[in-house]
Amino acid sequence: MTFTSTERVSIGRPAAEAIREQAERQGARRVFILAGSTLRHKTDEVGRIESALGSLHAATYDGIRPHAPRADVLAAADAARAADADLVVTVGGGSVTDAGKIVTLLIKNNVTSTDGFEPLRTYVTEDGQVINPVTVGPDIRTICVPTTLSGGEFNALSGATDEVTAHKQGYEHRGMAPVMVVLDPALTRHTPEWLWLSTGVRSVDHAVETLASDKSNDFADGLADSALRLLAEGLPRVKADPHDLEGRLKCQIGAWQSMISIIGGVPMGPSHAIGHILGGTCDVPHGYCSCVMAPYVQAWNAEHDDSRHDRISACLGAPGEKASVALDRFIRGLGMPRTLAEVGVGEDRFQQVADYTLLDIWGRTGPRPVTSAADILDILRSAA
C-alpha cells in the first residue's frame, strides 16, 4: 500500500473556518478559489470562504464543465497564474476537484495551450502497461472541499477530457493530492439529489470493485467493507431526509474510506474503466456510469469467479444473495438509472467505448481477464 501527500482531513467543521486555518498554517498569501458555478452564483457558500480568507483571498474562478475539458482546465490555470496563486482551493464536484489538481501541474510545467497537456497524460501501451510520464510534481498545494461523493479529492490522480478525441485521460503525481480535504456536510445540502446519490453509488463501486478484486488484501478489504456499510446506510437516509447531516457525513466518510484502497494500489476493474469512457466520450454523468455498470460487471465477473462476492452482499444487507442482484436492488431503490439506454448510450457507441476502455489504466485489471474489446462488448450488451 502506498499513500499520497494529504496531511489533514477536516471532518464536520464549517469549510470557511477550516480553510482559513490551513491557509495560515501554510503561510499562504494568495489563495485562489476554483468553485462550482452554481455554488458561486446561487449560494453564499463561496462568499463565506472568501470573507473568512479576507486579505489572503486573491481571486475566484468558475466555469469548469463536466468531465473537465482541457480548455476549461487551461483557462482556470491561466486565471490562477494571473492571480499569482500560492494555494488553490476547490469547492464543488468531481470535475472542479480534478481541474484544480491539474491546474497546479500545468502551472509547474508552464503549460499555456491544450496541446501542452499531451506530454503529461498517463497512457497505456499496446501490451497493457500503464505509463505515467510525470516525474516532477507541482509546487502549489490544494485544499479540496467536495460537494459530491465520487471521492476524487483524496486521489493524486485526476482526469481531464481531450475535446479532440473525446477521451478522458489521467494525470497523476503524488504532489497533486490536496494537502487537506474538508468534509463539510452542511455545504453539500446544495447538491442536487440525483448528483449526490449517483456519485454516492460511484463510491459504492469503489468499495465493490475492491472487495471483488483478486489483487486486494485484508487492509483494503476492511476499509472497503466499512465504506460500503456507511454508504448503504447513509445514501437512503439522505434520500429520505435531505437535511440529515449525520447521514451526509456518513456518506462522506464512506466515500473517503472507499478511496484509500485505490490510492494504496488496489486497481479497479471494468466498471470504472468503462465509466471513464462513458463519461468523457459519451457525456454520461460520472455517477450514473457506476449506477448502470456496477451490477452488470459483477455479474460478468461471477461467471468467472464469485468467491469474493459474499462480503459485498453482506455489506448491502443481503447475505447469501448474488452481489449483482443486491447491487441492482440498492441502486434502483435510490431511483438511479440502470441501463445504458436510460443514459442515452446506444449500441452504435459500443465499439468505440470498448476500444477506448482498453486504453484506460483499469481496462485490464479486474478479477476476470480482459483480453480484447470483445470482452468489454459482452458487458456493454448486457447493460444495453
Side-chain angles (χ1 to χ4, degrees):
M1 300 291 289
T2 57
F3 298 91
T4 70
S5 55
T6 298
E7 298 174 6
R8 304 177 74 201
V9 178
S10 173
I11 303 173
R13 291 176 63 197
E17 173 186 308
I19 291 167
R20 172 74 194 207
E21 180 182 287
Q22 182 64 28
E24 291 176 341
R25 177 187 293 256
Q26 290 182 228
R29 292 291 178 266
R30 303 287 300 170
V31 181
F32 176 79
I33 299 172
L34 181 61
S37 296
T38 299
L39 275 177
R40 184 184 183 189
H41 298 291
K42 296 186 177 181
T43 79
D44 62 356
E45 301 292 355
V46 176
R48 289 180 186 176
I49 296 170
E50 292 170 341
S51 296
L53 286 170
S55 63
L56 304 184
H57 175 236
T60 298
Y61 184 85
D62 66 277
I64 304 295
R65 289 170 291 170
H67 311 297
R70 284 183 177 184
D72 291 7
V73 181
L74 180 62
D78 288 341
R81 269 189 285 251
D84 193 23
D86 59 6
L87 177 65
V88 173
V89 175
T90 69
V91 187
S95 295
V96 171
T97 299
D98 276 354
K101 291 186 292 176
I102 297 173
V103 159
T104 64
L105 185 67
L106 299 184
I107 293 173
K108 177 64 177 180
N109 287 275
N110 195 32
V111 174
T112 57
S113 71
T114 53
D115 290 340
F117 284 62
E118 197 64 20
L120 301 175
R121 72 175 180 88
T122 298
Y123 62 94
V124 180
T125 64
E126 289 186 5
D127 61 354
Q129 293 186 65
V130 178
I131 307 297
N132 179 5
V134 177
T135 57
V136 179
D139 299 317
I140 301 171
R141 300 304 303 272
T142 60
I143 296 173
C144 292
V145 187
T147 58
T148 58
L149 293 169
S150 296
E153 59 275 359
F154 290 100
N155 205 342
L157 173 69
S158 288
T161 301
D162 180 352
E163 298 98 319
V164 176
T165 62
H167 188 192
K168 192 170 187 179
Q169 299 156 332
Y171 301 80
E172 183 174 14
H173 186 276
R174 184 174 182 272
M176 286 170 59
V179 66
M180 183 172 74
V181 176
V182 178
L183 303 180
D184 179 355
L187 195 148
T188 71
R189 289 176 297 180
H190 304 288
T191 304
E193 181 188 76
W194 73 269
L195 184 57
W196 178 259
L197 297 177
S198 65
T199 54
V201 174
R202 188 66 169 174
S203 283
V204 165
D205 203 8
H206 300 334
V208 165
E209 288 212 307
T210 297
L211 290 171
S213 176
D214 59 343
K215 303 168 187 67
S216 189
N217 54 64
D218 288 340
F219 177 79
D221 287 347
L223 287 165
D225 183 301
S226 177
L228 190 49
R229 292 178 188 275
L230 284 168
L231 290 159
E233 177 187 351
L235 289 170
R237 279 180 56 168
V238 176
K239 181 174 175 60
D241 177 9
H243 300 289
D244 183 349
L245 295 187
E246 182 182 62
R248 287 183 177 275
L249 191 57
K250 284 182 181 292
C251 292
Q252 289 184 302
I253 294 173
W256 174 19
Q257 289 184 332
S258 79
M259 285 299 301
I260 295 173
S261 302
I262 301 175
I263 295 165
V266 177
M268 296 291 93
S271 183
H272 280 74
I274 293 170
H276 290 158
I277 310 308
L278 291 176
T281 304
C282 303
D283 203 29
V284 178
H286 195 53
Y288 279 173
C289 298
S290 285
C291 293
V292 172
M293 297 311 307
Y296 295 112
V297 166
Q298 294 314 319
W300 187 78
N301 284 338
E303 295 173 4
H304 173 72
D305 181 10
D306 66 354
S307 61
R308 290 178 59 86
H309 282 197
D310 288 348
R311 195 167 182 177
I312 296 170
S313 301
C315 290
L316 291 170
E321 193 168 49
K322 290 182 178 180
S324 59
V325 174
L327 273 169
D328 174 75
R329 184 174 57 252
F330 179 74
I331 296 167
R332 288 183 188 277
L334 296 174
M336 296 292 101
R338 282 289 300 112
T339 66
L340 288 169
E342 288 178 78
V343 295
V345 179
E347 292 194 26
D348 60 312
R349 305 300 301 275
F350 285 7
Q351 188 64 55
Q352 182 187 25
V353 171
D355 290 340
Y356 275 10
T357 296
L358 294 184
L359 302 177
D360 190 83
I361 60 171
W362 292 323
R364 312 176 202 221
T365 56
R368 179 174 175 176
V370 172
T371 59
S372 70
D375 295 319
I376 304 301
L377 284 169
D378 284 346
I379 302 172
L380 296 172
R381 287 170 183 143
S382 71

PDB file of all heavy atoms in Angstrom, residues 91-121:
ATOM      1  N   VAL A  91     -13.873  24.061  -4.560  1.00  0.00           N
ATOM      2  CA  VAL A  91     -15.148  23.923  -3.852  1.00  0.00           C
ATOM      3  C   VAL A  91     -16.178  23.477  -4.882  1.00  0.00           C
ATOM      4  O   VAL A  91     -16.623  24.282  -5.719  1.00  0.00           O
ATOM      5  CB  VAL A  91     -15.593  25.247  -3.204  1.00  0.00           C
ATOM      6  CG1 VAL A  91     -16.829  25.006  -2.331  1.00  0.00           C
ATOM      7  CG2 VAL A  91     -14.472  25.864  -2.389  1.00  0.00           C
ATOM      8  N   GLY A  92     -16.544  22.210  -4.852  1.00  0.00           N
ATOM      9  CA  GLY A  92     -17.502  21.725  -5.842  1.00  0.00           C
ATOM     10  C   GLY A  92     -17.411  20.234  -6.056  1.00  0.00           C
ATOM     11  O   GLY A  92     -16.876  19.495  -5.221  1.00  0.00           O
ATOM     12  N   GLY A  93     -17.928  19.798  -7.200  1.00  0.00           N
ATOM     13  CA  GLY A  93     -17.983  18.384  -7.519  1.00  0.00           C
ATOM     14  C   GLY A  93     -16.688  17.861  -8.119  1.00  0.00           C
ATOM     15  O   GLY A  93     -15.647  18.529  -8.125  1.00  0.00           O
ATOM     16  N   GLY A  94     -16.772  16.642  -8.653  1.00  0.00           N
ATOM     17  CA  GLY A  94     -15.581  15.945  -9.104  1.00  0.00           C
ATOM     18  C   GLY A  94     -14.825  16.632 -10.214  1.00  0.00           C
ATOM     19  O   GLY A  94     -13.580  16.616 -10.234  1.00  0.00           O
ATOM     20  N   SER A  95     -15.527  17.262 -11.152  1.00  0.00           N
ATOM     21  CA  SER A  95     -14.833  17.924 -12.258  1.00  0.00           C
ATOM     22  C   SER A  95     -14.062  19.145 -11.775  1.00  0.00           C
ATOM     23  O   SER A  95     -12.955  19.424 -12.252  1.00  0.00           O
ATOM     24  CB  SER A  95     -15.830  18.322 -13.350  1.00  0.00           C
ATOM     25  OG  SER A  95     -16.415  17.166 -13.933  1.00  0.00           O
ATOM     26  N   VAL A  96     -14.634  19.885 -10.834  1.00  0.00           N
ATOM     27  CA  VAL A  96     -13.932  21.028 -10.242  1.00  0.00           C
ATOM     28  C   VAL A  96     -12.708  20.543  -9.471  1.00  0.00           C
ATOM     29  O   VAL A  96     -11.613  21.129  -9.565  1.00  0.00           O
ATOM     30  CB  VAL A  96     -14.875  21.832  -9.332  1.00  0.00           C
ATOM     31  CG1 VAL A  96     -14.121  22.896  -8.540  1.00  0.00           C
ATOM     32  CG2 VAL A  96     -15.984  22.484 -10.156  1.00  0.00           C
ATOM     33  N   THR A  97     -12.875  19.475  -8.721  1.00  0.00           N
ATOM     34  CA  THR A  97     -11.767  18.906  -7.959  1.00  0.00           C
ATOM     35  C   THR A  97     -10.635  18.473  -8.885  1.00  0.00           C
ATOM     36  O   THR A  97      -9.461  18.805  -8.675  1.00  0.00           O
ATOM     37  CB  THR A  97     -12.242  17.705  -7.132  1.00  0.00           C
ATOM     38  OG1 THR A  97     -13.247  18.127  -6.212  1.00  0.00           O
ATOM     39  CG2 THR A  97     -11.097  17.079  -6.363  1.00  0.00           C
ATOM     40  N   ASP A  98     -10.978  17.710  -9.924  1.00  0.00           N
ATOM     41  CA  ASP A  98      -9.969  17.249 -10.876  1.00  0.00           C
ATOM     42  C   ASP A  98      -9.244  18.428 -11.518  1.00  0.00           C
ATOM     43  O   ASP A  98      -8.009  18.437 -11.639  1.00  0.00           O
ATOM     44  CB  ASP A  98     -10.622  16.404 -11.977  1.00  0.00           C
ATOM     45  CG  ASP A  98     -10.805  14.949 -11.580  1.00  0.00           C
ATOM     46  OD1 ASP A  98     -10.335  14.560 -10.494  1.00  0.00           O
ATOM     47  OD2 ASP A  98     -11.415  14.201 -12.362  1.00  0.00           O
ATOM     48  N   ALA A  99     -10.026  19.417 -11.941  1.00  0.00           N
ATOM     49  CA  ALA A  99      -9.438  20.573 -12.606  1.00  0.00           C
ATOM     50  C   ALA A  99      -8.448  21.289 -11.695  1.00  0.00           C
ATOM     51  O   ALA A  99      -7.350  21.670 -12.121  1.00  0.00           O
ATOM     52  CB  ALA A  99     -10.532  21.535 -13.059  1.00  0.00           C
ATOM     53  N   GLY A 100      -8.817  21.487 -10.445  1.00  0.00           N
ATOM     54  CA  GLY A 100      -7.943  22.209  -9.528  1.00  0.00           C
ATOM     55  C   GLY A 100      -6.605  21.530  -9.326  1.00  0.00           C
ATOM     56  O   GLY A 100      -5.554  22.189  -9.270  1.00  0.00           O
ATOM     57  N   LYS A 101      -6.616  20.220  -9.229  1.00  0.00           N
ATOM     58  CA  LYS A 101      -5.358  19.496  -9.045  1.00  0.00           C
ATOM     59  C   LYS A 101      -4.496  19.566 -10.305  1.00  0.00           C
ATOM     60  O   LYS A 101      -3.268  19.697 -10.219  1.00  0.00           O
ATOM     61  CB  LYS A 101      -5.653  18.052  -8.650  1.00  0.00           C
ATOM     62  CG  LYS A 101      -6.246  17.910  -7.250  1.00  0.00           C
ATOM     63  CD  LYS A 101      -6.389  16.462  -6.838  1.00  0.00           C
ATOM     64  CE  LYS A 101      -7.440  15.747  -7.643  1.00  0.00           C
ATOM     65  NZ  LYS A 101      -7.510  14.310  -7.318  1.00  0.00           N
ATOM     66  N   ILE A 102      -5.144  19.467 -11.481  1.00  0.00           N
ATOM     67  CA  ILE A 102      -4.382  19.546 -12.732  1.00  0.00           C
ATOM     68  C   ILE A 102      -3.847  20.953 -12.951  1.00  0.00           C
ATOM     69  O   ILE A 102      -2.756  21.133 -13.510  1.00  0.00           O
ATOM     70  CB  ILE A 102      -5.252  19.077 -13.916  1.00  0.00           C
ATOM     71  CG1 ILE A 102      -5.633  17.602 -13.739  1.00  0.00           C
ATOM     72  CG2 ILE A 102      -4.509  19.252 -15.235  1.00  0.00           C
ATOM     73  CD1 ILE A 102      -6.638  17.088 -14.767  1.00  0.00           C
ATOM     74  N   VAL A 103      -4.592  21.957 -12.511  1.00  0.00           N
ATOM     75  CA  VAL A 103      -4.123  23.344 -12.617  1.00  0.00           C
ATOM     76  C   VAL A 103      -2.726  23.491 -12.019  1.00  0.00           C
ATOM     77  O   VAL A 103      -1.837  24.128 -12.609  1.00  0.00           O
ATOM     78  CB  VAL A 103      -5.116  24.313 -11.929  1.00  0.00           C
ATOM     79  CG1 VAL A 103      -4.456  25.631 -11.560  1.00  0.00           C
ATOM     80  CG2 VAL A 103      -6.316  24.569 -12.828  1.00  0.00           C
ATOM     81  N   THR A 104      -2.503  22.903 -10.868  1.00  0.00           N
ATOM     82  CA  THR A 104      -1.190  23.043 -10.218  1.00  0.00           C
ATOM     83  C   THR A 104      -0.093  22.364 -11.035  1.00  0.00           C
ATOM     84  O   THR A 104       1.048  22.841 -11.067  1.00  0.00           O
ATOM     85  CB  THR A 104      -1.215  22.471  -8.796  1.00  0.00           C
ATOM     86  OG1 THR A 104      -1.463  21.054  -8.835  1.00  0.00           O
ATOM     87  CG2 THR A 104      -2.285  23.150  -7.945  1.00  0.00           C
ATOM     88  N   LEU A 105      -0.438  21.272 -11.705  1.00  0.00           N
ATOM     89  CA  LEU A 105       0.531  20.586 -12.568  1.00  0.00           C
ATOM     90  C   LEU A 105       0.842  21.418 -13.811  1.00  0.00           C
ATOM     91  O   LEU A 105       2.003  21.506 -14.241  1.00  0.00           O
ATOM     92  CB  LEU A 105      -0.019  19.218 -12.968  1.00  0.00           C
ATOM     93  CG  LEU A 105       0.917  18.306 -13.772  1.00  0.00           C
ATOM     94  CD1 LEU A 105       2.105  17.872 -12.914  1.00  0.00           C
ATOM     95  CD2 LEU A 105       0.158  17.084 -14.286  1.00  0.00           C
ATOM     96  N   LEU A 106      -0.182  22.045 -14.383  1.00  0.00           N
ATOM     97  CA  LEU A 106       0.025  22.883 -15.566  1.00  0.00           C
ATOM     98  C   LEU A 106       0.905  24.079 -15.244  1.00  0.00           C
ATOM     99  O   LEU A 106       1.771  24.466 -16.047  1.00  0.00           O
ATOM    100  CB  LEU A 106      -1.326  23.360 -16.114  1.00  0.00           C
ATOM    101  CG  LEU A 106      -2.320  22.290 -16.569  1.00  0.00           C
ATOM    102  CD1 LEU A 106      -3.561  22.952 -17.163  1.00  0.00           C
ATOM    103  CD2 LEU A 106      -1.701  21.335 -17.576  1.00  0.00           C
ATOM    104  N   ILE A 107       0.679  24.692 -14.090  1.00  0.00           N
ATOM    105  CA  ILE A 107       1.497  25.842 -13.693  1.00  0.00           C
ATOM    106  C   ILE A 107       2.957  25.426 -13.530  1.00  0.00           C
ATOM    107  O   ILE A 107       3.872  26.104 -14.006  1.00  0.00           O
ATOM    108  CB  ILE A 107       0.949  26.486 -12.404  1.00  0.00           C
ATOM    109  CG1 ILE A 107      -0.420  27.124 -12.675  1.00  0.00           C
ATOM    110  CG2 ILE A 107       1.931  27.518 -11.850  1.00  0.00           C
ATOM    111  CD1 ILE A 107      -1.119  27.632 -11.434  1.00  0.00           C
ATOM    112  N   LYS A 108       3.178  24.299 -12.874  1.00  0.00           N
ATOM    113  CA  LYS A 108       4.546  23.813 -12.671  1.00  0.00           C
ATOM    114  C   LYS A 108       5.253  23.577 -13.996  1.00  0.00           C
ATOM    115  O   LYS A 108       6.461  23.861 -14.135  1.00  0.00           O
ATOM    116  CB  LYS A 108       4.523  22.522 -11.858  1.00  0.00           C
ATOM    117  CG  LYS A 108       5.889  21.885 -11.653  1.00  0.00           C
ATOM    118  CD  LYS A 108       6.811  22.773 -10.840  1.00  0.00           C
ATOM    119  CE  LYS A 108       8.141  22.091 -10.579  1.00  0.00           C
ATOM    120  NZ  LYS A 108       9.055  22.960  -9.789  1.00  0.00           N
ATOM    121  N   ASN A 109       4.516  23.067 -14.997  1.00  0.00           N
ATOM    122  CA  ASN A 109       5.120  22.719 -16.277  1.00  0.00           C
ATOM    123  C   ASN A 109       4.949  23.801 -17.336  1.00  0.00           C
ATOM    124  O   ASN A 109       5.243  23.567 -18.517  1.00  0.00           O
ATOM    125  CB  ASN A 109       4.538  21.395 -16.773  1.00  0.00           C
ATOM    126  CG  ASN A 109       5.047  20.206 -15.991  1.00  0.00           C
ATOM    127  OD1 ASN A 109       6.099  19.663 -16.276  1.00  0.00           O
ATOM    128  ND2 ASN A 109       4.294  19.818 -14.960  1.00  0.00           N
ATOM    129  N   ASN A 110       4.472  24.981 -16.903  1.00  0.00           N
ATOM    130  CA  ASN A 110       4.327  26.135 -17.796  1.00  0.00           C
ATOM    131  C   ASN A 110       3.523  25.779 -19.052  1.00  0.00           C
ATOM    132  O   ASN A 110       3.896  26.149 -20.173  1.00  0.00           O
ATOM    133  CB  ASN A 110       5.699  26.700 -18.182  1.00  0.00           C
ATOM    134  CG  ASN A 110       5.607  28.090 -18.790  1.00  0.00           C
ATOM    135  OD1 ASN A 110       4.714  28.874 -18.436  1.00  0.00           O
ATOM    136  ND2 ASN A 110       6.503  28.412 -19.709  1.00  0.00           N
ATOM    137  N   VAL A 111       2.423  25.076 -18.870  1.00  0.00           N
ATOM    138  CA  VAL A 111       1.557  24.707 -19.988  1.00  0.00           C
ATOM    139  C   VAL A 111       0.654  25.891 -20.318  1.00  0.00           C
ATOM    140  O   VAL A 111      -0.093  26.373 -19.455  1.00  0.00           O
ATOM    141  CB  VAL A 111       0.712  23.456 -19.651  1.00  0.00           C
ATOM    142  CG1 VAL A 111      -0.292  23.169 -20.761  1.00  0.00           C
ATOM    143  CG2 VAL A 111       1.628  22.259 -19.439  1.00  0.00           C
ATOM    144  N   THR A 112       0.698  26.338 -21.564  1.00  0.00           N
ATOM    145  CA  THR A 112      -0.081  27.509 -21.978  1.00  0.00           C
ATOM    146  C   THR A 112      -1.004  27.218 -23.156  1.00  0.00           C
ATOM    147  O   THR A 112      -1.617  28.125 -23.706  1.00  0.00           O
ATOM    148  CB  THR A 112       0.859  28.667 -22.353  1.00  0.00           C
ATOM    149  OG1 THR A 112       1.747  28.236 -23.396  1.00  0.00           O
ATOM    150  CG2 THR A 112       1.672  29.121 -21.134  1.00  0.00           C
ATOM    151  N   SER A 113      -1.098  25.952 -23.569  1.00  0.00           N
ATOM    152  CA  SER A 113      -2.007  25.555 -24.645  1.00  0.00           C
ATOM    153  C   SER A 113      -2.530  24.167 -24.345  1.00  0.00           C
ATOM    154  O   SER A 113      -1.925  23.405 -23.567  1.00  0.00           O
ATOM    155  CB  SER A 113      -1.289  25.545 -25.999  1.00  0.00           C
ATOM    156  OG  SER A 113      -0.377  24.463 -26.074  1.00  0.00           O
ATOM    157  N   THR A 114      -3.643  23.810 -24.970  1.00  0.00           N
ATOM    158  CA  THR A 114      -4.208  22.474 -24.723  1.00  0.00           C
ATOM    159  C   THR A 114      -3.281  21.380 -25.254  1.00  0.00           C
ATOM    160  O   THR A 114      -3.275  20.265 -24.730  1.00  0.00           O
ATOM    161  CB  THR A 114      -5.602  22.335 -25.347  1.00  0.00           C
ATOM    162  OG1 THR A 114      -5.535  22.692 -26.739  1.00  0.00           O
ATOM    163  CG2 THR A 114      -6.609  23.235 -24.648  1.00  0.00           C
ATOM    164  N   ASP A 115      -2.485  21.677 -26.279  1.00  0.00           N
ATOM    165  CA  ASP A 115      -1.514  20.690 -26.767  1.00  0.00           C
ATOM    166  C   ASP A 115      -0.476  20.357 -25.698  1.00  0.00           C
ATOM    167  O   ASP A 115       0.092  19.250 -25.694  1.00  0.00           O
ATOM    168  CB  ASP A 115      -0.800  21.217 -28.012  1.00  0.00           C
ATOM    169  CG  ASP A 115      -1.701  21.287 -29.233  1.00  0.00           C
ATOM    170  OD1 ASP A 115      -2.746  20.596 -29.233  1.00  0.00           O
ATOM    171  OD2 ASP A 115      -1.375  22.029 -30.175  1.00  0.00           O
ATOM    172  N   GLY A 116      -0.251  21.293 -24.787  1.00  0.00           N
ATOM    173  CA  GLY A 116       0.732  21.074 -23.739  1.00  0.00           C
ATOM    174  C   GLY A 116       0.320  20.036 -22.711  1.00  0.00           C
ATOM    175  O   GLY A 116       1.152  19.591 -21.897  1.00  0.00           O
ATOM    176  N   PHE A 117      -0.961  19.620 -22.729  1.00  0.00           N
ATOM    177  CA  PHE A 117      -1.412  18.568 -21.833  1.00  0.00           C
ATOM    178  C   PHE A 117      -0.814  17.205 -22.242  1.00  0.00           C
ATOM    179  O   PHE A 117      -0.607  16.331 -21.399  1.00  0.00           O
ATOM    180  CB  PHE A 117      -2.939  18.436 -21.877  1.00  0.00           C
ATOM    181  CG  PHE A 117      -3.704  19.494 -21.137  1.00  0.00           C
ATOM    182  CD1 PHE A 117      -3.617  20.827 -21.483  1.00  0.00           C
ATOM    183  CD2 PHE A 117      -4.549  19.145 -20.090  1.00  0.00           C
ATOM    184  CE1 PHE A 117      -4.347  21.795 -20.826  1.00  0.00           C
ATOM    185  CE2 PHE A 117      -5.291  20.103 -19.419  1.00  0.00           C
ATOM    186  CZ  PHE A 117      -5.183  21.441 -19.785  1.00  0.00           C
ATOM    187  N   GLU A 118      -0.604  17.031 -23.537  1.00  0.00           N
ATOM    188  CA  GLU A 118      -0.300  15.719 -24.087  1.00  0.00           C
ATOM    189  C   GLU A 118       0.933  15.052 -23.462  1.00  0.00           C
ATOM    190  O   GLU A 118       0.879  13.875 -23.106  1.00  0.00           O
ATOM    191  CB  GLU A 118      -0.147  15.810 -25.615  1.00  0.00           C
ATOM    192  CG  GLU A 118      -0.228  14.480 -26.335  1.00  0.00           C
ATOM    193  CD  GLU A 118      -1.575  13.781 -26.204  1.00  0.00           C
ATOM    194  OE1 GLU A 118      -2.578  14.465 -25.891  1.00  0.00           O
ATOM    195  OE2 GLU A 118      -1.614  12.560 -26.406  1.00  0.00           O
ATOM    196  N   PRO A 119       2.036  15.761 -23.291  1.00  0.00           N
ATOM    197  CA  PRO A 119       3.213  15.095 -22.708  1.00  0.00           C
ATOM    198  C   PRO A 119       3.046  14.715 -21.238  1.00  0.00           C
ATOM    199  O   PRO A 119       3.888  13.981 -20.703  1.00  0.00           O
ATOM    200  CB  PRO A 119       4.324  16.146 -22.866  1.00  0.00           C
ATOM    201  CG  PRO A 119       3.826  17.114 -23.865  1.00  0.00           C
ATOM    202  CD  PRO A 119       2.343  17.139 -23.708  1.00  0.00           C
ATOM    203  N   LEU A 120       1.993  15.195 -20.586  1.00  0.00           N
ATOM    204  CA  LEU A 120       1.813  14.965 -19.149  1.00  0.00           C
ATOM    205  C   LEU A 120       0.828  13.845 -18.837  1.00  0.00           C
ATOM    206  O   LEU A 120       0.761  13.387 -17.696  1.00  0.00           O
ATOM    207  CB  LEU A 120       1.325  16.249 -18.469  1.00  0.00           C
ATOM    208  CG  LEU A 120       2.229  17.475 -18.584  1.00  0.00           C
ATOM    209  CD1 LEU A 120       1.545  18.683 -17.959  1.00  0.00           C
ATOM    210  CD2 LEU A 120       3.582  17.216 -17.924  1.00  0.00           C
ATOM    211  N   ARG A 121       0.079  13.409 -19.809  1.00  0.00           N
ATOM    212  CA  ARG A 121      -1.007  12.461 -19.512  1.00  0.00           C
ATOM    213  C   ARG A 121      -0.491  11.030 -19.390  1.00  0.00           C
ATOM    214  O   ARG A 121       0.455  10.611 -20.072  1.00  0.00           O
ATOM    215  CB  ARG A 121      -2.097  12.526 -20.573  1.00  0.00           C
ATOM    216  CG  ARG A 121      -1.724  11.937 -21.924  1.00  0.00           C
ATOM    217  CD  ARG A 121      -2.934  11.967 -22.848  1.00  0.00           C
ATOM    218  NE  ARG A 121      -2.654  11.415 -24.160  1.00  0.00           N
ATOM    219  CZ  ARG A 121      -2.763  10.121 -24.464  1.00  0.00           C
ATOM    220  NH1 ARG A 121      -3.112   9.248 -23.543  1.00  0.00           N
ATOM    221  NH2 ARG A 121      -2.506   9.706 -25.700  1.00  0.00           N
TER     222      ARG A 121
END
